[in-house]
Amino acid sequence: MMETRRLGAMPPIVTVIIVVASVVAAALAAYFIYSTTARGVRQVSLTVVGQPTLYATRTGVELRVTFKNDGTADVDLTGSVIYVQNKTKAAVEFRDPTPLAGSLKLAPGDSVALKYTASGATLDDFPDGALATLQTKDGYQTSFAVAKP
């Protein structure tokens, strides 16, 4: 009896190559989706707790503010600066954050009360409700309004 050869059949090695290529492509797509999502989810989100307030001191003005890290990444407030708009719309720099309670390094969910100082400024230089912007050394920024007593 004569065997008939089937036409159009795919050799087994081609099937194996197609399955392996499909699995590799799916794995690469899954890794890309995971890595971009993981990177995007780990964000800093600082929230101002209470009312930031300016106080007059002997050497200038002091800003007391409490921040809470509502994000999913740690944030370091060491070396951070707050710029507060004065009555002439110029930015006055408040430096040297000093923790009143807690640490300058905030894990997710932590909060800290800080004191920033500006030398040479007076309390009369600032309007009530002046706009302030925090800038961390990592480049994170958040804005808020400050009050005067």
Side-chain angles (χ1 to χ4, degrees):
M1 190 164 190
M2 207 174 181
E3 284 186 40
T4 58
R5 193 170 177 170
R6 290 202 243 175
L7 296 176
M10 192 178 304
I13 189 69
V14 173
T15 305
V16 170
I17 291 172
I18 290 173
V19 169
V20 169
S22 299
V23 169
V24 168
L28 287 173
Y31 174 75
F32 175 75
I33 292 170
Y34 170 77
S35 65
T36 55
T37 303
R39 219 173 319 144
V41 170
R42 296 205 38 86
Q43 296 290 327
V44 172
S45 177
L46 283 178
T47 305
V48 176
V49 178
Q51 179 62 56
T53 307
L54 296 169
Y55 295 99
T57 64
R58 287 186 214 128
T59 59
V61 179
E62 174 181 285
L63 171 62
R64 292 187 180 218
V65 60
T66 302
F67 293 110
K68 181 177 182 188
N69 184 3
D70 287 328
T72 56
D74 294 346
V75 64
D76 186 3
L77 296 175
T78 305
S80 62
V81 177
I82 296 179
Y83 295 97
V84 179
Q85 205 174 55
N86 65 13
K87 288 181 179 177
T88 63
K89 306 290 184 196
V92 177
E93 188 176 74
F94 285 75
R95 304 190 141 270
D96 305 322
T98 306
L100 301 173
S103 168
L104 288 174
K105 295 181 181 179
L106 296 177
D110 288 350
S111 61
V112 63
L114 298 173
K115 173 178 69 170
Y116 289 83
T117 56
S119 301
T122 65
L123 195 58
D124 292 333
D125 294 342
F126 303 95
D128 196 22
L131 179 65
T133 301
L134 166 76
Q135 291 183 344
T136 67
K137 63 182 181 182
D138 299 327
Y140 180 77
Q141 293 186 11
T142 188
S143 296
F144 52 94
V146 296
K148 292 183 357 182

